[in-house]
């Protein structure tokens, strides 16, 4: 029940650290000759940096306000977002940097008679594995049960012997590791990084979570797919007949219009109602 609006910028921090390691591996030809090792090393560093950044945000922006029923944690998280952005801008500049493009990320692959750029199945497959891992942790482990208990009622969970402080820290670390994976996959697709790259994807990730249903992990991923498809087909579908130049610049308008409509007409999300029934 803590909305971390600095999450997108935590993703950016991991992507930046992964960029410097990827560039170093590219210069030594390890990136091309050892693809699996390079990918795990890049993602491992990104996850570690994201986890460290998330722990700092949790310690200074959330822990002091944990028992305060105000908007202070939310406002503090937004402030932390800008602090992270401009820290990286001051350290590395505002220039857009090109991500290394190894040979194993080039070319196409045929799946069921359809040609895809090889990056696309890698990104989708990795995202599905990450979602499955996250789902199993949250639903099938003792720590996952403790996370759900603290989310429902922190005081009752404490009476049952659950250390809510440890659970919240673990949750921040787990979410940050997912952010680290997402940052690397984002760079694989777009090949560019800059200090502001995490803000808009972070807001859209929140939109996807709201669309799927807050607390529903598969729902959040389905919401993300749905949002991405609508952003892709929406501009020509809705704006071509209106003689609007460059309709693809209106993708963000479509995404946030969907967010507003979901919040107004179905605030529990697409899968929120079924989740509530199971708990009852």
């Amino acid at each position: 029940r803590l909305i971390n609006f600095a999450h997108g910028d935590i993703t950016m921090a991991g992507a930046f650290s992964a960029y410097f390691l990827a560039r170093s591996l590219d210069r030594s030809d390890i990136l091309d000759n050892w693809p699996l090792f390079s990918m795990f090393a890049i993602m491992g560093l990104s996850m570690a940096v994201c986890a460290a950044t998330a722990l700092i945000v949790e310690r200074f922006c959330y822990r002091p306000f944990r028992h305060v029923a105000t908007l202070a944690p939310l406002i503090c998280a937004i402030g932390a977002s800008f602090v992270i952005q401009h820290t990286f801008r001051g350290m590395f500049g505002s220039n857009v940097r090109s991500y290394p493009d190894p040979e194993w990320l080039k070319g196409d692959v045929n799946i069921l008679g359809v040609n895809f750029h090889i990056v696309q199945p890698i990104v989708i497959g990795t995202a599905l594995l990450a979602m499955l891992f996250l789902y199993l942790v949250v639903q099938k482990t003792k720590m996952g049960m403790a996370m759900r208990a603290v989310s429902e009622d922190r005081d009752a969970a404490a009476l049952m012997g659950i250390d809510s402080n440890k659970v919240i820290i673990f949750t921040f670390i787990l979410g940050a590791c997912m952010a680290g994976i997402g940052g690397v996959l984002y760079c694989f697709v777009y090949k560019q990084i800059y200090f502001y790259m995490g803000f808009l994807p972070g807001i859209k990730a929140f939109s996807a979570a709201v669309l799927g249903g807050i607390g529903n992990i598969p729902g959040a991923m389905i919401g993300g797919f749905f949002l991405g498809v609508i952003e892709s087909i929406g501009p020509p579908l809705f704006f071509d007949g209106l003689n609007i130049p460059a309709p693809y610049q209106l993708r963000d308008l479509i995404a946030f219009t969907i967010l507003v409509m979901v919040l107004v007409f179905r605030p529990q999300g697409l899968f929120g109602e079924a989740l509530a029934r199971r708990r009852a």
Side-chain angles (χ1 to χ4, degrees), residues 210-253:
V210 171
L211 182 61
I214 294 293
N216 191 317
I217 296 173
M221 173 165 266
I222 294 173
F225 274 116
F226 179 78
L227 197 63
V229 170
I230 290 296
E231 283 191 359
S232 297
I233 68 174
L237 185 64
F238 297 127
F239 300 114
D240 271 359
L242 300 178
N243 296 321
I244 296 177
Y248 280 96
Q249 295 180 3
L250 300 175
R251 289 181 299 178
D252 296 339
L253 172 64

Side-chain angles (χ1 to χ4, degrees), residues 29-54:
D29 293 330
I30 296 177
L31 193 63
D32 281 325
N33 296 328
W34 300 87
L36 284 179
F37 169 79
S38 300
M39 190 169 179
F40 282 117
I42 292 169
M43 285 194 174
L45 178 62
S46 177
M47 293 164 66
V49 171
C50 286
T53 308

